[in-house]
């Protein structure tokens, strides 16, 4: 039986290196791990509690919650925009954190990875994503981290799925997530 991990990517750009990193996670997931790359974050409107009712909830938000309900763990893949995570990823976390007391993230093992042009690989954005997801109830897997610096040059001609080091590190992150699902902390 496979562990199902849902990947949410904080960049909407089709050529995004972070999207490519998520694609590498899908392609190179360890045996017994299935990673699904969520499509559709661009359609999810900004969270507004006034519209979070059965009668008014946007279909895109419902689809996001349904996909999250099928996942056993989450992989958040984020670039760094102005020193923090992009609004699209924060918005996804906001939708998944509601309704209060019923967070789709509650207790779910969650890892945050990413790549950025800077020399630290987007660690500020990753720290903010961990904080936000943790407050939303996710169980942050602290030893499952990956920050790849210099994305613009490192992945200029090489897809992350073809980068041996990046693939090996992604596999470690995914294995740590799967292990946490299989043997939850008490």
């Amino acid at each position: 039986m496979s562990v199902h991990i849902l990947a949410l990517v904080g960049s909407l750009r089709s050529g995004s290196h972070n999207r490519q990193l998520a694609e590498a996670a899908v392609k190179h997931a360890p045996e017994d791990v299935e990673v699904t790359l969520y499509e559709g974050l661009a359609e999810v409107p900004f969270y507004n509690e006034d519209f979070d009712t059965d009668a008014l909830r946007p279909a895109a938000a419902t689809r996001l919650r349904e996909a999250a309900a099928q996942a056993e763990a989450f992989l958040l893949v984020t670039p760094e925009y102005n020193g923090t995570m992009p609004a699209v990823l924060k918005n996804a976390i906001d939708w998944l954190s509601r309704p209060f007391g019923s967070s789709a993230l509650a207790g779910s093992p969650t890892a945050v990875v990413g790549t950025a042009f800077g020399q630290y690989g987007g660690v500020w954005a990753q720290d903010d994503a961990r904080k936000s997801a943790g407050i939303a109830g996710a169980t942050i897997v602290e030893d499952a981290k990956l920050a790849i610096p210099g994305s613009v040059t490192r992945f200029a001609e090489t897809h992350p799925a073809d980068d041996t080091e990046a693939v090996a590190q992604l596999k470690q992150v995914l294995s740590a997530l799967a292990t946490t699902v299989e043997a939850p902390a008490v």
Side-chain angles (χ1 to χ4, degrees), residues 44-97:
V44 179
F46 283 115
Y47 184 79
N48 180 338
E49 194 171 7
D50 291 342
F51 299 109
D52 194 4
T53 67
D54 289 340
L56 299 175
R57 186 175 304 111
T62 298
R63 285 191 299 274
L64 174 61
R65 285 182 177 162
E66 289 170 348
Q70 300 302 311
E72 296 171 275
F74 294 88
L75 180 67
L76 306 182
V77 186
T78 185
E80 189 168 273
Y81 290 178
N82 298 314
T84 191
M85 73 176 132
V88 69
L89 184 57
K90 175 65 169 77
N91 188 51
I93 293 168
D94 289 345
W95 274 104
L96 294 176
S97 73

Side-chain angles (χ1 to χ4, degrees), residues 118-129:
Q119 66 181 337
Y120 301 111
V123 295
W124 288 350
Q126 292 181 30
D127 287 345
D128 286 346

Side-chain angles (χ1 to χ4, degrees), residues 99-165:
F100 182 76
S102 299
S103 172
L105 296 170
S108 297
T110 302
V112 181
V113 301
T115 185
F117 179 61
Q119 66 181 337
Y120 301 111
V123 295
W124 288 350
Q126 292 181 30
D127 287 345
D128 286 346
R130 280 185 202 91
K131 177 182 175 185
S132 185
I135 290 170
T139 300
I140 304 301
V141 181
E142 291 295 339
D143 60 341
K145 295 180 181 181
L146 176 57
I148 301 174
S151 62
V152 172
T153 53
R154 181 168 181 169
F155 301 126
E157 296 181 19
T158 303
H159 191 288
D162 300 322
D163 182 306
T164 306
E165 181 184 13

